[in-house]
Every structure is written in C-alpha cells, then in structure tokens.
Amino acid sequence: MTEPMHPIDPTSSAAAPTRPSRAALIAGLLTVVEGLILLAFAGFYVYEIALGAEDSLTTALTSAALIVIFGVALLVVARAWLRGQRWPRTPTLVWNVLLLPVAWSLRDSDQTLIAAGIAALAVASIVAALASPAHRLVEPGSAD
C-alpha cells in the first residue's frame, strides 16, 4: 500500500533543489539559449563601437551594458531551472511574454525570419515553463 503524497514543507531540507523535471530541463535549456543570444548581441554592440559605426557612444555603451545585464540574469534563471529550483517559473514567463510584442514589432518591420525565431523560442519557453510543476509533490521516503 502506498502512502499519500504530501506537499514539501519549505522549511525542511526536502525543499532543497532536486532533479529537474523534463519540462524544467527544457525551460532551462531554452533560457540558456536566450541568455547566450543576448550576450552575443551585446558583443555585436561592442564590435560596432570598436568599428566606430555607432552614432552615439554613450547610447551604444548603455545598450550593451543593459543587454549584458539581462543576458546574465537569464543565465542565472537557467541555472536555477537546471538545478531543479522552483522560483524561475515566473521570471521565465514574464520575460517570454514580453518577447512576443518584440517579435510582432520585428514582423511589422519586415524582419519576418527573426520575428518567427523569437516568437517560436518565446512560445516554446512559455509552454515549457507552464508544463513544469509549480509545487513539487513527493512521497514520504521516496528518493525522487
């Protein structure tokens, strides 16, 4: 006979990070991709600055710094997903919902392929985040 499942007590050691679910793993990997894309984009800004192609050095440096901050933040969120933590669900959903208007705007400016890629990545991340368990339930005495 199996024992009933009980929610994890947040004060117990069982609330520590655990092995991520399949959906959490996918959400984490998609978030890694998003973070690396942002860091590459920041690198492109620095490249443009080095070539002197930017009209305003201050604006370019500020944009690059802001993009780096968001890229690093996404990598922190991805790390939390991959470590089985529960908190990255909301920031992942917020970030990817905000990407949808960006994709729409790119579509309106005839950047259809980039828009489709961003939209697909955002929708896949939203689906993975929503599919991950919000509250992990465990059976007493089980290893998982």
Short mmCIF file of all heavy atoms in Angstrom, two decimals, residues 62-134:
data_model
loop_
_atom_site.label_atom_id
_atom_site.label_comp_id
_atom_site.label_asym_id
_atom_site.label_seq_id
_atom_site.Cartn_x
_atom_site.Cartn_y
_atom_site.Cartn_z
N THR A 62 25.52 52.10 -23.15
CA THR A 62 24.40 51.86 -22.23
C THR A 62 23.56 50.68 -22.70
O THR A 62 23.18 49.82 -21.91
CB THR A 62 23.52 53.12 -22.11
OG1 THR A 62 24.34 54.21 -21.68
CG2 THR A 62 22.38 52.91 -21.13
N SER A 63 23.29 50.62 -23.99
CA SER A 63 22.53 49.50 -24.54
C SER A 63 23.27 48.19 -24.35
O SER A 63 22.68 47.18 -23.93
CB SER A 63 22.26 49.72 -26.03
OG SER A 63 21.45 50.85 -26.22
N ALA A 64 24.57 48.19 -24.63
CA ALA A 64 25.36 46.97 -24.46
C ALA A 64 25.37 46.52 -23.00
O ALA A 64 25.21 45.33 -22.71
CB ALA A 64 26.79 47.20 -24.95
N ALA A 65 25.52 47.46 -22.07
CA ALA A 65 25.54 47.11 -20.65
C ALA A 65 24.19 46.54 -20.22
O ALA A 65 24.14 45.54 -19.49
CB ALA A 65 25.89 48.34 -19.81
N LEU A 66 23.11 47.15 -20.67
CA LEU A 66 21.78 46.66 -20.31
C LEU A 66 21.53 45.27 -20.88
O LEU A 66 20.98 44.39 -20.20
CB LEU A 66 20.71 47.64 -20.81
CG LEU A 66 19.29 47.40 -20.36
CD1 LEU A 66 19.19 47.47 -18.84
CD2 LEU A 66 18.36 48.43 -20.98
N ILE A 67 21.97 45.04 -22.09
CA ILE A 67 21.80 43.73 -22.72
C ILE A 67 22.62 42.67 -21.97
O ILE A 67 22.16 41.55 -21.76
CB ILE A 67 22.17 43.79 -24.21
CG1 ILE A 67 21.14 44.64 -24.96
CG2 ILE A 67 22.24 42.40 -24.82
CD1 ILE A 67 21.54 45.00 -26.37
N VAL A 68 23.83 43.03 -21.54
CA VAL A 68 24.66 42.10 -20.76
C VAL A 68 23.97 41.76 -19.44
O VAL A 68 23.94 40.59 -19.03
CB VAL A 68 26.07 42.68 -20.51
CG1 VAL A 68 26.82 41.90 -19.43
CG2 VAL A 68 26.88 42.68 -21.80
N ILE A 69 23.40 42.76 -18.79
CA ILE A 69 22.71 42.51 -17.51
C ILE A 69 21.57 41.52 -17.70
O ILE A 69 21.43 40.56 -16.94
CB ILE A 69 22.21 43.85 -16.90
CG1 ILE A 69 23.40 44.67 -16.40
CG2 ILE A 69 21.20 43.60 -15.78
CD1 ILE A 69 23.06 46.10 -16.04
N PHE A 70 20.75 41.73 -18.73
CA PHE A 70 19.65 40.80 -18.99
C PHE A 70 20.15 39.43 -19.41
O PHE A 70 19.57 38.41 -19.03
CB PHE A 70 18.68 41.38 -20.03
CG PHE A 70 17.67 42.31 -19.44
CD1 PHE A 70 17.83 43.68 -19.53
CD2 PHE A 70 16.57 41.82 -18.76
CE1 PHE A 70 16.90 44.54 -18.98
CE2 PHE A 70 15.63 42.67 -18.20
CZ PHE A 70 15.80 44.04 -18.31
N GLY A 71 21.23 39.38 -20.20
CA GLY A 71 21.79 38.09 -20.60
C GLY A 71 22.28 37.29 -19.41
O GLY A 71 22.00 36.09 -19.28
N VAL A 72 22.99 37.95 -18.51
CA VAL A 72 23.48 37.27 -17.30
C VAL A 72 22.31 36.86 -16.41
O VAL A 72 22.29 35.75 -15.85
CB VAL A 72 24.49 38.17 -16.55
CG1 VAL A 72 24.83 37.61 -15.18
CG2 VAL A 72 25.77 38.34 -17.37
N ALA A 73 21.31 37.74 -16.29
CA ALA A 73 20.14 37.39 -15.48
C ALA A 73 19.44 36.15 -16.04
O ALA A 73 19.02 35.27 -15.28
CB ALA A 73 19.17 38.57 -15.42
N LEU A 74 19.32 36.06 -17.35
CA LEU A 74 18.71 34.87 -17.95
C LEU A 74 19.54 33.62 -17.68
O LEU A 74 18.98 32.54 -17.46
CB LEU A 74 18.52 35.06 -19.46
CG LEU A 74 17.33 35.92 -19.85
CD1 LEU A 74 17.34 36.19 -21.35
CD2 LEU A 74 16.02 35.26 -19.46
N LEU A 75 20.85 33.74 -17.68
CA LEU A 75 21.69 32.58 -17.37
C LEU A 75 21.53 32.16 -15.91
O LEU A 75 21.59 30.97 -15.60
CB LEU A 75 23.15 32.87 -17.71
CG LEU A 75 23.44 33.04 -19.21
CD1 LEU A 75 24.90 33.40 -19.44
CD2 LEU A 75 23.06 31.80 -20.00
N VAL A 76 21.31 33.11 -15.01
CA VAL A 76 21.04 32.79 -13.60
C VAL A 76 19.70 32.04 -13.50
O VAL A 76 19.59 31.04 -12.77
CB VAL A 76 21.05 34.06 -12.73
CG1 VAL A 76 20.50 33.79 -11.34
CG2 VAL A 76 22.45 34.64 -12.65
N VAL A 77 18.70 32.51 -14.23
CA VAL A 77 17.40 31.84 -14.23
C VAL A 77 17.55 30.42 -14.80
O VAL A 77 17.00 29.46 -14.26
CB VAL A 77 16.36 32.66 -15.04
CG1 VAL A 77 15.08 31.88 -15.25
CG2 VAL A 77 16.07 33.98 -14.32
N ALA A 78 18.32 30.30 -15.88
CA ALA A 78 18.54 28.98 -16.49
C ALA A 78 19.23 28.04 -15.51
O ALA A 78 18.86 26.86 -15.41
CB ALA A 78 19.38 29.13 -17.76
N ARG A 79 20.20 28.55 -14.79
CA ARG A 79 20.90 27.72 -13.80
C ARG A 79 19.93 27.20 -12.74
O ARG A 79 19.99 26.04 -12.32
CB ARG A 79 22.02 28.52 -13.15
CG ARG A 79 22.81 27.75 -12.13
CD ARG A 79 23.99 28.58 -11.65
NE ARG A 79 24.80 27.82 -10.74
CZ ARG A 79 24.90 28.06 -9.44
NH1 ARG A 79 24.23 29.06 -8.90
NH2 ARG A 79 25.67 27.32 -8.68
N ALA A 80 19.02 28.08 -12.32
CA ALA A 80 18.03 27.67 -11.33
C ALA A 80 17.12 26.58 -11.90
O ALA A 80 16.80 25.60 -11.21
CB ALA A 80 17.20 28.86 -10.88
N TRP A 81 16.69 26.72 -13.16
CA TRP A 81 15.89 25.67 -13.80
C TRP A 81 16.64 24.35 -13.79
O TRP A 81 16.08 23.31 -13.45
CB TRP A 81 15.58 26.04 -15.25
CG TRP A 81 14.39 26.90 -15.50
CD1 TRP A 81 14.40 28.13 -16.09
CD2 TRP A 81 13.02 26.61 -15.24
NE1 TRP A 81 13.12 28.61 -16.19
CE2 TRP A 81 12.25 27.70 -15.69
CE3 TRP A 81 12.35 25.53 -14.67
CZ2 TRP A 81 10.86 27.74 -15.58
CZ3 TRP A 81 10.97 25.57 -14.57
CH2 TRP A 81 10.24 26.67 -15.02
N LEU A 82 17.89 24.39 -14.20
CA LEU A 82 18.68 23.17 -14.36
C LEU A 82 19.05 22.53 -13.01
O LEU A 82 19.38 21.35 -12.96
CB LEU A 82 19.93 23.45 -15.19
CG LEU A 82 19.63 23.92 -16.63
CD1 LEU A 82 20.91 24.31 -17.34
CD2 LEU A 82 18.85 22.88 -17.40
N ARG A 83 18.97 23.30 -11.94
CA ARG A 83 19.24 22.76 -10.60
C ARG A 83 17.97 22.30 -9.91
O ARG A 83 18.01 21.87 -8.77
CB ARG A 83 19.96 23.80 -9.76
CG ARG A 83 21.34 24.13 -10.33
CD ARG A 83 22.07 25.11 -9.49
NE ARG A 83 22.59 24.39 -8.33
CZ ARG A 83 22.93 24.98 -7.21
NH1 ARG A 83 22.81 26.26 -7.07
NH2 ARG A 83 23.40 24.27 -6.21
N GLY A 84 16.83 22.41 -10.58
CA GLY A 84 15.58 21.93 -10.02
C GLY A 84 14.93 22.87 -9.03
O GLY A 84 14.06 22.47 -8.26
N GLN A 85 15.31 24.13 -9.03
CA GLN A 85 14.69 25.09 -8.13
C GLN A 85 13.32 25.49 -8.66
O GLN A 85 13.03 25.34 -9.85
CB GLN A 85 15.60 26.30 -7.96
CG GLN A 85 16.91 25.92 -7.28
CD GLN A 85 17.87 27.09 -7.16
OE1 GLN A 85 17.73 28.10 -7.84
NE2 GLN A 85 18.85 26.95 -6.28
N ARG A 86 12.48 26.03 -7.77
CA ARG A 86 11.11 26.33 -8.15
C ARG A 86 10.87 27.78 -8.54
O ARG A 86 9.88 28.10 -9.17
CB ARG A 86 10.16 25.96 -7.02
CG ARG A 86 10.17 24.48 -6.72
CD ARG A 86 9.14 24.08 -5.73
NE ARG A 86 9.16 24.93 -4.53
CZ ARG A 86 8.33 24.79 -3.53
NH1 ARG A 86 7.41 23.87 -3.57
NH2 ARG A 86 8.40 25.57 -2.48
N TRP A 87 11.75 28.70 -8.20
CA TRP A 87 11.48 30.11 -8.40
C TRP A 87 11.58 30.62 -9.83
O TRP A 87 11.02 31.67 -10.14
CB TRP A 87 12.38 30.97 -7.50
CG TRP A 87 13.84 30.92 -7.81
CD1 TRP A 87 14.77 30.11 -7.23
CD2 TRP A 87 14.55 31.70 -8.77
NE1 TRP A 87 16.00 30.34 -7.77
CE2 TRP A 87 15.90 31.31 -8.73
CE3 TRP A 87 14.17 32.69 -9.68
CZ2 TRP A 87 16.87 31.87 -9.54
CZ3 TRP A 87 15.15 33.24 -10.50
CH2 TRP A 87 16.48 32.84 -10.41
N PRO A 88 12.27 29.97 -10.77
CA PRO A 88 12.46 30.61 -12.09
C PRO A 88 11.24 30.61 -13.00
O PRO A 88 11.27 31.20 -14.07
CB PRO A 88 13.60 29.81 -12.71
CG PRO A 88 13.53 28.48 -12.08
CD PRO A 88 13.04 28.74 -10.68
N ARG A 89 10.16 30.00 -12.58
CA ARG A 89 8.98 29.91 -13.44
C ARG A 89 8.43 31.31 -13.79
O ARG A 89 8.19 31.62 -14.95
CB ARG A 89 7.91 29.07 -12.76
CG ARG A 89 6.74 28.76 -13.63
CD ARG A 89 5.79 27.83 -12.91
NE ARG A 89 4.87 27.24 -13.84
CZ ARG A 89 3.68 26.81 -13.52
NH1 ARG A 89 3.29 26.87 -12.27
NH2 ARG A 89 2.89 26.29 -14.42
N THR A 90 8.22 32.14 -12.79
CA THR A 90 7.64 33.46 -13.03
C THR A 90 8.54 34.36 -13.87
O THR A 90 8.06 34.94 -14.85
CB THR A 90 7.26 34.14 -11.70
OG1 THR A 90 6.30 33.32 -11.04
CG2 THR A 90 6.70 35.53 -11.92
N PRO A 91 9.84 34.50 -13.56
CA PRO A 91 10.66 35.35 -14.42
C PRO A 91 10.73 34.83 -15.87
O PRO A 91 10.79 35.62 -16.81
CB PRO A 91 12.04 35.36 -13.78
CG PRO A 91 11.98 34.49 -12.59
CD PRO A 91 10.58 34.03 -12.38
N THR A 92 10.69 33.53 -16.03
CA THR A 92 10.72 32.96 -17.38
C THR A 92 9.44 33.33 -18.13
O THR A 92 9.49 33.74 -19.30
CB THR A 92 10.87 31.43 -17.32
OG1 THR A 92 12.09 31.12 -16.64
CG2 THR A 92 10.88 30.82 -18.70
N LEU A 93 8.32 33.20 -17.46
CA LEU A 93 7.05 33.55 -18.11
C LEU A 93 6.99 35.04 -18.44
O LEU A 93 6.60 35.42 -19.56
CB LEU A 93 5.87 33.16 -17.22
CG LEU A 93 5.63 31.65 -17.07
CD1 LEU A 93 4.58 31.39 -16.01
CD2 LEU A 93 5.22 31.05 -18.40
N VAL A 94 7.38 35.89 -17.51
CA VAL A 94 7.34 37.34 -17.75
C VAL A 94 8.24 37.70 -18.92
O VAL A 94 7.84 38.43 -19.84
CB VAL A 94 7.73 38.11 -16.47
CG1 VAL A 94 7.95 39.59 -16.76
CG2 VAL A 94 6.68 37.93 -15.39
N TRP A 95 9.48 37.21 -18.91
CA TRP A 95 10.43 37.53 -19.97
C TRP A 95 9.89 37.11 -21.34
O TRP A 95 9.93 37.89 -22.30
CB TRP A 95 11.78 36.86 -19.70
CG TRP A 95 12.72 36.99 -20.84
CD1 TRP A 95 13.03 36.02 -21.75
CD2 TRP A 95 13.45 38.14 -21.23
NE1 TRP A 95 13.91 36.52 -22.67
CE2 TRP A 95 14.19 37.82 -22.37
CE3 TRP A 95 13.55 39.43 -20.72
CZ2 TRP A 95 15.02 38.73 -23.02
CZ3 TRP A 95 14.39 40.34 -21.36
CH2 TRP A 95 15.11 39.99 -22.49
N ASN A 96 9.38 35.90 -21.43
CA ASN A 96 8.95 35.39 -22.72
C ASN A 96 7.65 36.01 -23.20
O ASN A 96 7.45 36.18 -24.40
CB ASN A 96 8.89 33.87 -22.69
CG ASN A 96 10.28 33.30 -22.71
OD1 ASN A 96 10.96 33.35 -23.72
ND2 ASN A 96 10.75 32.79 -21.59
N VAL A 97 6.77 36.37 -22.29
CA VAL A 97 5.56 37.10 -22.70
C VAL A 97 5.95 38.47 -23.25
O VAL A 97 5.37 38.94 -24.23
CB VAL A 97 4.56 37.21 -21.52
CG1 VAL A 97 3.48 38.23 -21.80
CG2 VAL A 97 3.94 35.85 -21.23
N LEU A 98 6.96 39.10 -22.66
CA LEU A 98 7.44 40.39 -23.17
C LEU A 98 8.14 40.26 -24.52
O LEU A 98 8.23 41.24 -25.27
CB LEU A 98 8.36 41.05 -22.15
CG LEU A 98 7.68 41.55 -20.88
CD1 LEU A 98 8.72 42.05 -19.88
CD2 LEU A 98 6.68 42.64 -21.19
N LEU A 99 8.64 39.08 -24.84
CA LEU A 99 9.27 38.87 -26.15
C LEU A 99 8.25 38.81 -27.29
O LEU A 99 8.59 39.08 -28.44
CB LEU A 99 10.10 37.58 -26.15
CG LEU A 99 11.47 37.65 -25.53
CD1 LEU A 99 12.16 36.30 -25.64
CD2 LEU A 99 12.33 38.73 -26.16
N LEU A 100 7.02 38.45 -26.99
CA LEU A 100 6.01 38.33 -28.05
C LEU A 100 5.73 39.66 -28.76
O LEU A 100 5.71 39.69 -29.99
CB LEU A 100 4.74 37.69 -27.50
CG LEU A 100 4.91 36.23 -27.05
CD1 LEU A 100 3.63 35.72 -26.40
CD2 LEU A 100 5.34 35.35 -28.20
N PRO A 101 5.57 40.79 -28.06
CA PRO A 101 5.43 42.06 -28.78
C PRO A 101 6.69 42.46 -29.55
O PRO A 101 6.61 43.11 -30.59
CB PRO A 101 5.12 43.09 -27.69
CG PRO A 101 4.72 42.32 -26.50
CD PRO A 101 5.32 40.95 -26.63
N VAL A 102 7.86 42.05 -29.05
CA VAL A 102 9.10 42.31 -29.77
C VAL A 102 9.07 41.57 -31.11
O VAL A 102 9.41 42.13 -32.16
CB VAL A 102 10.33 41.87 -28.93
CG1 VAL A 102 11.61 41.92 -29.75
CG2 VAL A 102 10.45 42.72 -27.68
N ALA A 103 8.65 40.31 -31.09
CA ALA A 103 8.54 39.54 -32.32
C ALA A 103 7.54 40.17 -33.28
O ALA A 103 7.79 40.26 -34.49
CB ALA A 103 8.14 38.09 -32.00
N TRP A 104 6.42 40.62 -32.74
CA TRP A 104 5.40 41.26 -33.59
C TRP A 104 5.95 42.53 -34.23
O TRP A 104 5.73 42.80 -35.41
CB TRP A 104 4.15 41.56 -32.75
CG TRP A 104 3.01 42.01 -33.58
CD1 TRP A 104 2.62 43.29 -33.83
CD2 TRP A 104 2.10 41.17 -34.30
NE1 TRP A 104 1.53 43.31 -34.65
CE2 TRP A 104 1.19 42.01 -34.96
CE3 TRP A 104 1.97 39.80 -34.45
CZ2 TRP A 104 0.16 41.52 -35.75
CZ3 TRP A 104 0.94 39.31 -35.23
CH2 TRP A 104 0.06 40.18 -35.87
N SER A 105 6.67 43.32 -33.45
CA SER A 105 7.27 44.55 -33.97
C SER A 105 8.29 44.25 -35.07
O SER A 105 8.35 44.96 -36.08
CB SER A 105 7.94 45.30 -32.82
OG SER A 105 8.62 46.42 -33.29
N LEU A 106 9.08 43.21 -34.87
CA LEU A 106 10.04 42.82 -35.90
C LEU A 106 9.33 42.36 -37.18
O LEU A 106 9.78 42.64 -38.29
CB LEU A 106 10.97 41.72 -35.38
CG LEU A 106 12.04 42.19 -34.41
CD1 LEU A 106 12.70 41.01 -33.73
CD2 LEU A 106 13.07 43.05 -35.12
N ARG A 107 8.22 41.68 -37.02
CA ARG A 107 7.44 41.24 -38.18
C ARG A 107 6.94 42.45 -38.95
O ARG A 107 6.98 42.48 -40.18
CB ARG A 107 6.26 40.37 -37.74
CG ARG A 107 5.49 39.77 -38.90
CD ARG A 107 4.12 39.27 -38.45
NE ARG A 107 3.23 40.31 -38.01
CZ ARG A 107 2.48 41.07 -38.82
NH1 ARG A 107 2.50 40.89 -40.12
NH2 ARG A 107 1.69 42.00 -38.33
N ASP A 108 6.48 43.46 -38.21
CA ASP A 108 5.99 44.68 -38.86
C ASP A 108 7.09 45.45 -39.59
O ASP A 108 6.80 46.21 -40.50
CB ASP A 108 5.33 45.60 -37.82
CG ASP A 108 3.96 45.12 -37.42
OD1 ASP A 108 3.39 44.25 -38.12
OD2 ASP A 108 3.44 45.61 -36.39
N SER A 109 8.34 45.25 -39.18
CA SER A 109 9.45 45.94 -39.83
C SER A 109 10.17 45.04 -40.84
O SER A 109 11.34 45.24 -41.13
CB SER A 109 10.42 46.48 -38.79
OG SER A 109 10.99 45.42 -38.05
N ASP A 110 9.44 44.07 -41.37
CA ASP A 110 9.93 43.18 -42.44
C ASP A 110 11.14 42.34 -42.02
O ASP A 110 11.98 42.01 -42.85
CB ASP A 110 10.24 43.97 -43.71
CG ASP A 110 8.99 44.55 -44.33
OD1 ASP A 110 7.92 43.92 -44.20
OD2 ASP A 110 9.07 45.63 -44.95
N GLN A 111 11.22 41.98 -40.76
CA GLN A 111 12.25 41.07 -40.26
C GLN A 111 11.56 39.75 -39.90
O GLN A 111 11.65 39.26 -38.78
CB GLN A 111 12.95 41.68 -39.04
CG GLN A 111 13.65 42.98 -39.29
CD GLN A 111 14.81 42.82 -40.25
OE1 GLN A 111 15.50 41.80 -40.24
NE2 GLN A 111 15.02 43.81 -41.09
N THR A 112 10.88 39.17 -40.87
CA THR A 112 9.99 38.04 -40.64
C THR A 112 10.71 36.83 -40.06
O THR A 112 10.21 36.18 -39.14
CB THR A 112 9.26 37.67 -41.94
OG1 THR A 112 8.64 38.85 -42.45
CG2 THR A 112 8.20 36.63 -41.70
N LEU A 113 11.88 36.48 -40.60
CA LEU A 113 12.59 35.29 -40.10
C LEU A 113 13.04 35.46 -38.66
O LEU A 113 12.91 34.55 -37.84
CB LEU A 113 13.77 34.97 -40.99
CG LEU A 113 13.43 34.38 -42.36
CD1 LEU A 113 14.69 34.18 -43.19
CD2 LEU A 113 12.67 33.09 -42.22
N ILE A 114 13.58 36.63 -38.33
CA ILE A 114 14.00 36.90 -36.95
C ILE A 114 12.78 36.90 -36.03
O ILE A 114 12.81 36.32 -34.94
CB ILE A 114 14.76 38.23 -36.86
CG1 ILE A 114 16.07 38.14 -37.65
CG2 ILE A 114 15.05 38.60 -35.41
CD1 ILE A 114 16.79 39.45 -37.81
N ALA A 115 11.69 37.52 -36.49
CA ALA A 115 10.46 37.56 -35.70
C ALA A 115 9.93 36.15 -35.44
O ALA A 115 9.53 35.82 -34.33
CB ALA A 115 9.40 38.40 -36.41
N ALA A 116 9.94 35.31 -36.46
CA ALA A 116 9.45 33.94 -36.31
C ALA A 116 10.33 33.16 -35.32
O ALA A 116 9.81 32.40 -34.50
CB ALA A 116 9.42 33.24 -37.66
N GLY A 117 11.63 33.35 -35.39
CA GLY A 117 12.54 32.68 -34.47
C GLY A 117 12.32 33.11 -33.03
O GLY A 117 12.26 32.27 -32.11
N ILE A 118 12.17 34.42 -32.82
CA ILE A 118 11.93 34.93 -31.47
C ILE A 118 10.60 34.44 -30.94
O ILE A 118 10.49 34.01 -29.79
CB ILE A 118 12.01 36.47 -31.45
CG1 ILE A 118 13.46 36.91 -31.65
CG2 ILE A 118 11.45 37.04 -30.15
CD1 ILE A 118 13.64 38.40 -31.81
N ALA A 119 9.57 34.51 -31.79
CA ALA A 119 8.24 34.06 -31.36
C ALA A 119 8.24 32.56 -31.03
O ALA A 119 7.67 32.14 -30.02
CB ALA A 119 7.20 34.36 -32.43
N ALA A 120 8.89 31.77 -31.86
CA ALA A 120 8.94 30.32 -31.61
C ALA A 120 9.68 30.01 -30.31
O ALA A 120 9.23 29.18 -29.51
CB ALA A 120 9.61 29.60 -32.78
N LEU A 121 10.80 30.68 -30.08
CA LEU A 121 11.57 30.48 -28.85
C LEU A 121 10.76 30.92 -27.63
O LEU A 121 10.72 30.22 -26.61
CB LEU A 121 12.88 31.25 -28.93
CG LEU A 121 13.88 31.06 -27.80
CD1 LEU A 121 14.29 29.60 -27.66
CD2 LEU A 121 15.12 31.92 -28.06
N ALA A 122 10.07 32.05 -27.74
CA ALA A 122 9.28 32.54 -26.62
C ALA A 122 8.11 31.60 -26.31
O ALA A 122 7.87 31.27 -25.15
CB ALA A 122 8.76 33.95 -26.92
N VAL A 123 7.40 31.17 -27.35
CA VAL A 123 6.25 30.28 -27.13
C VAL A 123 6.71 28.94 -26.55
O VAL A 123 6.10 28.41 -25.62
CB VAL A 123 5.44 30.09 -28.43
CG1 VAL A 123 4.43 28.97 -28.30
CG2 VAL A 123 4.75 31.40 -28.81
N ALA A 124 7.81 28.40 -27.08
CA ALA A 124 8.33 27.13 -26.55
C ALA A 124 8.73 27.28 -25.08
O ALA A 124 8.47 26.39 -24.26
CB ALA A 124 9.52 26.66 -27.39
N SER A 125 9.34 28.40 -24.73
CA SER A 125 9.74 28.64 -23.34
C SER A 125 8.52 28.79 -22.43
O SER A 125 8.52 28.30 -21.30
CB SER A 125 10.62 29.89 -23.25
OG SER A 125 11.83 29.69 -23.92
N ILE A 126 7.50 29.48 -22.92
CA ILE A 126 6.27 29.64 -22.13
C ILE A 126 5.62 28.28 -21.88
O ILE A 126 5.22 27.96 -20.76
CB ILE A 126 5.29 30.60 -22.85
CG1 ILE A 126 5.84 32.03 -22.79
CG2 ILE A 126 3.90 30.53 -22.23
CD1 ILE A 126 5.12 33.01 -23.70
N VAL A 127 5.53 27.47 -22.93
CA VAL A 127 4.92 26.14 -22.79
C VAL A 127 5.72 25.29 -21.81
O VAL A 127 5.15 24.63 -20.93
CB VAL A 127 4.80 25.46 -24.17
CG1 VAL A 127 4.42 23.98 -24.02
CG2 VAL A 127 3.78 26.18 -25.04
N ALA A 128 7.04 25.31 -21.92
CA ALA A 128 7.88 24.51 -21.01
C ALA A 128 7.74 25.00 -19.57
O ALA A 128 7.65 24.18 -18.64
CB ALA A 128 9.34 24.57 -21.46
N ALA A 129 7.71 26.32 -19.37
CA ALA A 129 7.58 26.85 -18.01
C ALA A 129 6.22 26.49 -17.42
O ALA A 129 6.12 26.13 -16.25
CB ALA A 129 7.77 28.36 -18.01
N LEU A 130 5.16 26.58 -18.24
CA LEU A 130 3.83 26.23 -17.74
C LEU A 130 3.69 24.73 -17.48
O LEU A 130 2.94 24.31 -16.61
CB LEU A 130 2.76 26.70 -18.72
CG LEU A 130 2.54 28.20 -18.79
CD1 LEU A 130 1.55 28.54 -19.91
CD2 LEU A 130 2.06 28.75 -17.46
N ALA A 131 4.44 23.93 -18.24
CA ALA A 131 4.37 22.47 -18.06
C ALA A 131 5.17 21.99 -16.85
O ALA A 131 4.94 20.89 -16.36
CB ALA A 131 4.88 21.77 -19.32
N SER A 132 6.08 22.83 -16.36
CA SER A 132 6.86 22.42 -15.19
C SER A 132 5.98 22.50 -13.96
O SER A 132 5.11 23.37 -13.86
CB SER A 132 8.09 23.31 -15.02
OG SER A 132 7.69 24.60 -14.62
N PRO A 133 6.18 21.58 -13.02
CA PRO A 133 5.34 21.59 -11.82
C PRO A 133 5.60 22.84 -10.98
O PRO A 133 6.74 23.19 -10.73
CB PRO A 133 5.74 20.33 -11.07
CG PRO A 133 7.02 19.89 -11.68
CD PRO A 133 7.14 20.51 -13.03
N ALA A 134 4.52 23.50 -10.59
CA ALA A 134 4.65 24.71 -9.77
C ALA A 134 5.05 24.34 -8.34
O ALA A 134 5.85 25.01 -7.72
CB ALA A 134 3.34 25.49 -9.76
#
